[in-house]
Amino acid sequence: MRKLVVGGLVIGLAAVVWASSGPMSVPGASSPSWTGSSKSDERSKLPRPRPIGRPSHVSASQALNENSLPANGSAPRLPPLSVRLAGSIDPVGGNASAVVVRVDGQSVPVTLSGDGFIANLDRVSRHAMVDIQVSKSGAAFTALAGSVLQLKRQAGPDGTVVPSENPSLRVSPLSTAVRFFVMRELGGRLPITDRELDSALHAIFPDDLGPAMNMLHLTAAGQIALPAGYSNGHALLANQTDYRIWVDLNRNLVRSFETRLREQPGAPFAPVDTERSWLSLGRIPLGGALNFATTSEALLKTPSGYEAHSFPGRRNASFSRQLLSDGDLELTPIGAVYRDTVVSKPFLAGNYIDVIQRRTVASERYRRIFIGDRSALWLRTRVESVGYPDYPSQLPEYVTTTVVIAMADFDRTLIPFEPAQLSGRRGMQMFCPGPISLAGQRPDLLPCQYAVHVMGASGSGTIEGVGSTVDELFRPIVPTATAAFQWTLEADGGLRVSGPGYSFKAWRLGLGDGLIEPIMYVATAQDANGSYSHAGRSLILDSSGQTGFSQDDPLGQWKYASFGDERGEYAYHENSPLVSTTFERAADGNGWRRDTLSDGNAVSVITYRSSWQLWSGQLYETRYQANIPTGIPGTSGFHTCEQAFAQGATVCAPLRVRHFRPFAKVGNRWYGIEDDYLRTSGLGATPITFTRLSRANVYRPI
């Protein structure tokens, strides 16, 4: 059996056991009180998040429903397990005064020595979840260790689990932040299965972890004072209002967390891990919301290493792989892997001009900082050179970024398509090269239109309605162009679609509701300069139905039904202050969109006025802009140009058009294709130029 060595000392038998009244929780949220040895009653009463993917023993053709445990007597009883935990404690904040290890809420004896502890779990339920709490004079650290079965697997033949096998056994500010935000997604309670823990890992906001970890470290070290009335950083973190204020006051220091993240040890990758493909799915709320996401990544295994696809996309995706001496996984580009963007720089005699900025990947390094069943939290440290190909005298600058991403095992997460799901009319994404705004700029591959694909039985098909649904003056039109495509169901159950100038491959996430199927995809294209690609998450919409709005259907207040809980980061994030969006339409044709925003402390509402009309049962909403302000604080846009002219405007034009084409209604939810057009040309300029966001969407009245 391995022994844990901490600070040169082998952990001995000095016993310090902390008897606690209950688990640390998120104040203001309910937390179950575990008092008995059997947890079946409590488990059955708690809400369950919708699981992602399928367990390895369930075939692709089986319907997946793991939201309930087997009924008593429906499965054979499995023998209990025994395993030893040999953990360590982050030394910041001094020595621990007490450690509590709970197995499904029941404390077990703990031996504490310096910065290490040992807990023997003797003959306990294999499905029981393990939780750890550490008390110091000015700090409180916690960790989620997973189920006893997971710990037993990680321990191997010696029966002892150490932090290099399960990073959560290093109880630290980082493990505390992970536990806190997992509990936040679960309504303040602990996860009760490994599957539930996996789902919560994909529901948390990774951007929350770094600032929270840094705050917990800095306050425990005494480098930043806590606000009055708080004894430790964990208590401050639990009060969202005070934490947001505190982060705002200490933003520069608390948000400089990337260096500390890179200092965090992890669990070494094993050679078998490099034989797997991996996915970062973007945030998926626990309810399995039918939303799309572009913040996705795919590491697809190849004989030479990996194809690493991400969003935003980039040129080339080929990397070699290497396990480093510390167990990290390092990817090195095979050829140049880069992305071009246009930025403004003072390169013309000190005057700013638009130039191509090229970010070329030097390396990508991955480290596992939390391990679940099929999912994990990884650190990704990317080193890039930033240069300007048209200005070689500007020497490249090297930039290092470190982020936390939730990763999932490809084979245990994605679900193959069934042939029956690939017939008839299906709404799917089309992809186009991005616009070339400067000579020589290499285009990106972007989602450009969500359209109905008529899937023929022979693997061929037709894309209907290709083109814009508004004309050069933002008036409704019906696109009549079509395009041919090919499709095939490949050996791994992935759907391959080849359209005009592009190809994408998609896999199911197992979160569909019968009309919409969330998917993970990788889109690729080729041109004279080579390949370019990106990874993302989208939806396939059953478009076989034909429906439309009646005149009164759009009236009243509405909201998206496709974006889950609409929650944002726990602390203020300057790049995403949106809290929620609602739409209201009146019988006179006037409409309002209201965005609720938060700056971390106060909440404000911005109202955008528009008009609406039905055109062949489809909804068109238009917002108008004029050369005068609205005169109403917090209100933007006009219902009509006539309204603007009546208030003194001399120039007016449509600014934004939202077009929603419904295909089905189930209950109070309307499913369809949405196109959102935003004018990019100047006020009054014709013809109108615009950008377009095209996607499947779901709306419901409030």
Side-chain angles (χ1 to χ4, degrees):
M1 183 191 75
R2 287 167 289 188
K3 292 182 172 60
L4 178 64
V5 180
V6 181
L9 298 176
V10 178
I11 291 180
L13 299 176
V16 181
V17 180
W18 176 29
S20 174
S21 59
M24 296 181 186
S25 61
V26 181
S30 60
S31 179
S33 175
W34 305 116
T35 56
S37 58
S38 173
K39 305 298 174 291
S40 59
D41 292 339
E42 290 89 341
R43 290 175 188 270
S44 65
K45 297 174 183 177
L46 293 171
R48 300 296 170 83
R50 195 168 179 187
I52 302 167
R54 61 181 173 88
S56 56
H57 63 276
V58 175
S59 69
S61 60
Q62 288 177 286
L64 175 62
N65 183 359
E66 292 198 358
N67 286 344
S68 59
L69 296 176
N72 290 337
S74 64
R77 289 184 175 274
L78 299 174
L81 299 175
S82 298
V83 65
R84 170 173 287 195
L85 311 184
S88 66
I89 302 168
D90 192 305
V92 66
N95 291 333
S97 58
V99 176
V100 173
V101 175
R102 285 190 174 85
V103 180
D104 262 3
Q106 299 297 309
S107 297
V108 299
V110 178
T111 300
L112 173 64
S113 178
D115 292 332
F117 66 91
I118 288 179
N120 292 307
L121 313 185
D122 294 325
R123 294 185 59 77
V124 295
S125 168
R126 63 183 55 214
H127 299 299
M129 300 295 284
V130 178
D131 182 54
I132 306 170
Q133 300 158 21
V134 171
S135 177
K136 297 189 176 191
S137 59
F141 297 154
T142 59
L144 293 172
S147 72
V148 173
L149 178 60
Q150 276 289 100
L151 291 164
K152 185 68 173 179
R153 289 170 175 165
Q154 293 162 350
D158 66 355
T160 300
V161 193
V162 297
S164 62
E165 295 164 324
N166 184 326
S168 296
L169 293 186
R170 182 178 184 267
V171 188
S172 66
L174 178 59
S175 70
T176 305
V178 173
R179 178 185 185 271
F180 178 86
F181 289 113
V182 165
M183 289 182 66
R184 181 200 179 207
E185 296 302 326
L186 294 171
R189 63 173 177 83
L190 295 168
I192 56 178
T193 65
D194 285 319
R195 291 299 307 279
E196 186 173 77
L197 176 55
D198 277 352
S199 295
L201 291 178
H202 292 285
I204 66 176
F205 291 87
D207 286 349
D208 274 328
L209 293 173
M213 172 207 67
N214 215 16
M215 181 275 290
L216 291 165
H217 179 97
L218 294 170
T219 54
Q223 297 178 27
I224 300 182
L226 286 161
Y230 289 96
S231 60
N232 58 61
H234 188 280
L236 174 61
L237 182 61
N239 186 317
Q240 185 176 20
T241 299
D242 286 356
Y243 174 65
R244 283 181 164 184
I245 295 172
W246 191 88
V247 167
D248 190 49
L249 293 173
N250 298 277
R251 185 171 300 177
N252 291 336
L253 186 58
V254 175
R255 288 190 175 274
S256 59
F257 54 81
E258 290 192 27
T259 299
R260 182 154 289 115
L261 274 176
R262 289 193 285 271
E263 295 171 349
Q264 304 303 306
F269 286 93
V272 67
D273 295 320
T274 66
E275 299 301 316
R276 298 187 177 110
S277 293
W278 300 91
L279 302 167
S280 175
L281 301 172
R283 181 174 186 262
I284 300 180
L286 287 181
L290 305 175
N291 63 335
F292 66 97
T294 53
T295 54
S296 305
E297 299 184 29
L299 297 182
L300 304 182
K301 182 184 171 297
T302 66
S304 58
Y306 280 102
E307 287 184 357
H309 304 277
S310 63
F311 195 97
R314 54 193 181 187
R315 283 281 171 176
N316 193 5
S318 298
F319 290 79
S320 63
R321 65 182 185 270
Q322 177 185 7
L323 284 182
L324 302 179
S325 59
D326 60 2
D328 285 358
L329 172 62
E330 184 175 67
L331 303 186
T332 303
I334 300 174
V337 176
Y338 62 91
R339 172 174 172 77
D340 286 343
T341 56
V342 177
V343 298
S344 182
K345 291 291 181 179
F347 290 168
L348 186 61
N351 296 314
Y352 280 84
I353 58 173
D354 287 344
V355 300
I356 298 172
Q357 182 186 80
R358 177 165 297 171
R359 302 181 71 98
T360 303
V361 178
S363 66
E364 291 186 349
R365 182 168 177 168
Y366 297 90
R367 177 178 301 164
R368 299 187 298 176
I369 57 172
F370 187 95
I371 299 177
D373 178 17
R374 72 188 63 201
S375 301
L377 295 178
W378 292 13
L379 291 184
R380 186 198 66 212
T381 298
R382 178 180 291 162
V383 179
E384 296 175 297
S385 67
V386 180
Y388 306 91
D390 296 334
Y391 294 85
S393 61
Q394 300 291 328
L395 297 179
E397 173 188 7
Y398 281 86
V399 176
T400 301
T401 56
T402 299
V403 297
V404 180
I405 52 178
M407 297 294 283
D409 184 326
F410 180 99
D411 290 329
R412 299 183 62 204
T413 301
L414 299 183
I415 300 176
F417 281 90
E418 300 288 351
Q421 297 172 310
L422 303 175
S423 62
R425 299 162 58 85
R426 304 286 165 175
M428 290 186 283
Q429 197 73 60
M430 298 177 67
F431 299 90
C432 306
I436 301 177
S437 56
L438 290 175
Q441 182 190 357
R442 298 175 187 272
D444 192 3
L445 184 65
L446 300 172
C448 56
Q449 181 176 357
Y450 194 95
V452 174
H453 291 58
V454 183
M455 307 184 74
S458 62
S460 61
T462 302
I463 307 174
E464 298 179 339
V466 177
S468 173
T469 60
V470 295
D471 67 9
E472 69 277 3
L473 297 178
F474 266 18
R475 297 172 301 196
I477 59 172
V478 176
T480 58
T482 61
F485 75 98
Q486 302 292 321
W487 68 272
T488 183
L489 186 60
E490 298 193 344
D492 63 355
L495 169 64
R496 171 73 66 182
V497 174
S498 297
Y502 68 88
S503 174
F504 75 85
K505 188 170 181 178
W507 301 266
R508 298 167 55 214
L509 292 176
L511 297 174
D513 67 355
L515 284 172
I516 276 186
E517 188 69 49
I519 60 169
M520 177 78 183
Y521 70 84
V522 172
T524 58
Q526 295 275 340
D527 66 8
N529 297 307
S531 66
Y532 49 109
S533 68
H534 81 258
R537 219 173 74 219
S538 186
L539 305 166
I540 292 181
L541 170 66
D542 184 344
S543 305
S544 57
Q546 293 291 332
T547 189
F549 288 117
S550 67
Q551 190 62 36
D552 292 338
D553 283 334
L555 297 179
Q557 294 189 347
W558 292 67
K559 69 184 302 182
Y560 296 116
S562 49
F563 290 89
D565 48 24
E566 293 185 329
R567 67 198 301 169
E569 285 88 344
Y570 189 69
Y572 167 59
H573 193 299
E574 47 269 84
N575 294 325
S576 55
L578 181 63
V579 176
S580 65
T581 295
T582 59
F583 301 88
E584 183 179 356
R585 302 178 197 93
D588 61 2
N590 288 337
W592 300 263
R593 167 178 169 154
R594 296 183 177 91
D595 287 349
T596 302
L597 311 175
S598 172
D599 65 358
N601 301 316
V603 173
S604 61
V605 177
I606 298 179
T607 300
Y608 301 93
R609 296 186 295 190
S610 62
S611 63
W612 68 273
Q613 62 174 312
L614 291 184
W615 203 71
S616 299
Q618 301 172 31
L619 178 66
Y620 280 83
E621 294 181 288
T622 305
R623 184 191 311 167
Y624 293 88
Q625 180 189 33
N627 61 342
I628 62 170
T630 64
I632 304 174
T635 299
S636 177
F638 293 88
H639 292 301
T640 63
C641 278
E642 288 75 12
Q643 179 190 39
F645 293 143
Q647 293 181 211
T650 58
V651 183
C652 177
L655 173 65
R656 189 169 189 169
V657 174
R658 184 185 303 272
H659 169 219
F660 183 71
R661 177 187 177 189
F663 280 94
K665 181 186 178 185
V666 177
N668 67 345
R669 297 157 64 98
W670 291 79
Y671 295 72
I673 295 176
E674 178 181 70
D675 288 292
D676 194 350
Y677 300 92
L678 181 64
R679 191 189 76 233
T680 57
S681 50
L683 178 62
T686 56
I688 292 175
T689 60
F690 54 82
T691 60
R692 178 187 192 181
L693 174 62
S694 187
R695 63 193 182 188
N697 217 337
V698 187
Y699 285 89
R700 66 174 177 83
I702 301 175

